[in-house]
C-alpha cells in the first residue's frame, strides 16, 4: 500500500519546491555583479534558456549583449525584494557616479530556479525629475527594515494598496490607504518628510497606468510594480512600502526619452 503514497509525496515535493529566498538572492547577487563589472557570463549561466522570455530595457526587448548590463556601473546602493510565491525579484539600483549617474529598477523572473526574464527601467539625466544626489540621499533616510512576522500585512493587502495608488491616477474616487507621513521619492525629488507629509499631492488625473508587473515581499511590506505610465506608456517603476496596511513610501523611476517627459515642473 505504501507504493500508492509515493506519487502523493512526489507531488507534494514538486508543489512545495518553489523558489527560496536564498536561491533568489544568489541570482540577484549575480545580476549585481554583472552590472558592476560589465561581465555577464556568470549571470547568463543562470538563465533558463528553454523558457527564455527576454531581456528588456525600458519596455524594449533587446539582445542582452547590447544592454546596459555590459557597461560597468559604480553601484552605490542596492535594495532587493524577493517574491517567493511568484518567483520574481525586484532590485533598486543606484549608481551615484557623477560621470555616469543612473538609477535602475530591475525585475527578474524565474522558471525552474533559473532566470527567464530580465525587465529593467533604466533612468538617467533628462528623465523625469532625475536627481542622483536626491535619490541617493533620501533612500538612506527611510526605514525599509524587516517587519516583525506578527505585524506583517498579507500579500493581498500590500498589492491592493499599490493598486489603489495607481488607480487614483485615472479615477479620483479611488480610496487609497494613505499612511501618515507618506513620502514620495520621484526620480530624485522628495516630498515632505515631516510628520504631516502626504503623498496625496501632485497626483494628476486621466492617467491610466497599465501592464502592471508585481513583485511582492511581505517581509518588508513592500511591492514593486513595473508599469506603462499614462497614455504615452512610459516605462516606469513604482515601489511602495506599506506598514499596517498604509502607504508610507513611494519610489518612482520613469523613462520617457524626452527631457522631463516634455513637462515643465
Ligand atoms: C543561455 O544562453 C546564453 C547565450 O545567450 C549563454 O551564454 C548561457 O550560458 C546559457 N545559459 C545556460 C544555463 O545554458
Ligand atoms: C548590495 O548591497 C549590500 C548591502 O545591502 C552590499 O553588501 C552589497 O555589497 C551590495 N552589492 C553591490 C554589487 O554593490
Ligand atoms: C537634488 O537633490 C538635492 C538633495 O535633495 C538638492 O539639494 C538639490 O537642490 C537637487 N538638485 C536639483 C537640480 O533640483
Ligand atoms: C467620481 O464620483 C463623482 C461623484 O460621485 C462622479 O460624478 C464621477 O463620475 C466619479 N468619477 C469616476 C471616474 O468614477
Ligand atoms: C502638522 O499638522 C498639525 C495639525 O494641523 C499641526 O499642528 C502641526 O504644526 C503640523 N506639524 C508640522 C511639522 O508641520
Amino acid at each position: 500500500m505504501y507504493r500508492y503514497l509515493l506519487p502523493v509525496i512526489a507531488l507534494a515535493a514538486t508543489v512545495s519546491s518553489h523558489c527560496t529566498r536564498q536561491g533568489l538572492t544568489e541570482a540577484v547577487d549575480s545580476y549585481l555583479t554583472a552590472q558592476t563589472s560589465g561581465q555577464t557570463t556568470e549571470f547568463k549561466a543562470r538563465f533558463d534558456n528553454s523558457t527564455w522570455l527576454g531581456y528588456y530595457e525600458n519596455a524594449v526587448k533587446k539582445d542582452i549583449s547590447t544592454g546596459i548590463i555590459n557597461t560597468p556601473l559604480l553601484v552605490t546602493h542596492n535594495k532587493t525584494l524577493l517574491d517567493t510565491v511568484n518567483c520574481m525579484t525586484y532590485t533598486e539600483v543606484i549608481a551615484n557616479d557623477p560621470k555616469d549617474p543612473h538609477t535602475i529598477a530591475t525585475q527578474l523572473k524565474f522558471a525552474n530556479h533559473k532566470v527567464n526574464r530580465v525587465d529593467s527601467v533604466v533612468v538617467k539625466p533628462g528623465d523625469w525629475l532625475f536627481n542622483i544626489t536626491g535619490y541617493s540621499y533620501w533612500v538612506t533616510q527611510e526605514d525599509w527594515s524587516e517587519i516583525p512576522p506578527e505585524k506583517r500585512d498579507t500579500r493581498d493587502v500590500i498589492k491592493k494598496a499599490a493598486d489603489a495608488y495607481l488607480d487614483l491616477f485615472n479615477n479620483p474616487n479611488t480610496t487609497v490607504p494613505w499612511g501618515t507621513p507618506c513620502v514620495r521619492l520621484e526620480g530624485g525629488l522628495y516630498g515632505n518628510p515631516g510628520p504631516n507629509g502626504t503623498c496625496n499631492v501632485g497626483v494628476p488625473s486621466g492617467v491610466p497606468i497599465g501592464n502592471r508587473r508585481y513583485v511582492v515581499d511581505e517581509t518588508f511590506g513592500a511591492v514593486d510594480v513595473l508599469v506603462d505610465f499614462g497614455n504615452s506608456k512610459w516605462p516606469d517603476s513604482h515601489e511602495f512600502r506599506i506598514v499596517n496596511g498604509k502607504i508610507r513610501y513611494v519610489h518612482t523611476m520613469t523613462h520617457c526619452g524626452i527631457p522631463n517627459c516634455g513637462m515643465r515642473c
Side-chain angles (χ1 to χ4, degrees):
M1 102 168 246
Y2 286 113
R3 108 177 82 119
Y4 294 107
L5 286 174
L6 284 175
V8 175
I9 293 164
L11 181 64
T14 310
V15 168
S16 64
S17 65
H18 57 68
C19 41
T20 62
R21 295 187 75 83
Q22 189 190 333
L24 296 176
T25 299
E26 284 167 12
V28 169
D29 285 347
S30 174
Y31 160 74
L32 286 169
T33 300
Q35 188 58 82
T36 305
S37 65
Q39 303 297 316
T40 60
T41 307
E42 203 271 339
F43 183 46
K44 286 193 291 199
R46 294 172 178 276
F47 288 180
D48 191 49
N49 286 332
S50 63
T51 64
W52 185 244
L53 297 171
Y55 175 89
Y56 290 82
E57 270 179 24
N58 295 329
V60 176
K61 193 174 187 174
K62 290 183 151 190
D63 186 323
I64 188 170
S65 67
T66 67
I68 192 166
I69 195 159
N70 300 280
T71 304
L73 293 183
L74 182 70
V75 174
T76 48
H77 159 98
N78 69 85
K79 174 170 64 61
T80 291
L81 309 181
L82 305 172
D83 188 331
T84 54
V85 174
N86 287 336
C87 290
M88 291 179 70
T89 64
Y90 167 69
T91 305
E92 175 185 61
V93 178
I94 303 177
N96 185 4
D97 178 350
K99 291 195 293 291
D100 194 16
H102 281 88
T103 56
I104 304 179
T106 293
Q107 290 188 356
L108 303 180
K109 186 173 161 51
F110 292 74
N112 306 315
H113 303 274
K114 289 182 172 169
V115 176
N116 78 338
R117 187 177 73 204
V118 182
D119 198 352
S120 297
V121 174
V122 181
V123 164
K124 61 180 196 292
D127 281 316
W128 181 245
L129 299 174
F130 187 84
N131 178 344
I132 197 71
T133 312
Y135 207 107
S136 299
Y137 172 72
W138 289 111
V139 294
T140 67
Q141 302 301 300
E142 297 180 339
D143 176 10
W144 286 76
S145 59
E146 200 169 310
I147 294 182
E150 70 279 8
K151 292 192 171 165
R152 278 177 200 164
D153 288 314
T154 62
R155 294 173 63 80
D156 195 47
V157 164
I158 294 166
K159 183 170 175 288
K160 280 193 170 132
D163 274 330
Y165 181 98
L166 298 171
D167 289 347
L168 181 66
F169 285 65
N170 205 31
N171 183 352
N173 297 341
T174 309
T175 302
V176 180
W178 300 115
T180 309
C182 177
V183 207
R184 184 167 59 227
L185 176 57
E186 205 175 343
L189 179 71
Y190 210 50
N192 172 9
N196 296 338
T198 172
C199 298
N200 196 7
V201 285
V203 176
S205 56
V207 177
I209 300 181
N211 190 20
R212 302 179 188 180
R213 292 93 84 197
Y214 306 86
V215 172
V216 180
D217 188 339
E218 313 86 299
T219 63
F220 295 105
V223 51
D224 176 68
V225 198
L226 292 186
V227 304
D228 294 349
F229 191 90
N231 290 309
S232 303
K233 299 194 189 307
W234 286 321
D236 173 289
S237 169
H238 269 69
E239 185 191 19
F240 301 86
R241 161 86 160 177
I242 315 292
V243 179
N244 293 327
K246 311 266 194 225
I247 302 175
R248 294 297 308 279
Y249 302 123
V250 185
H251 289 184
T252 79
M253 296 183 204
T254 311
H255 170 78
C256 27
I258 47 172
N260 254 335
C261 303
M263 287 181 211
R264 281 183 288 161
C265 303

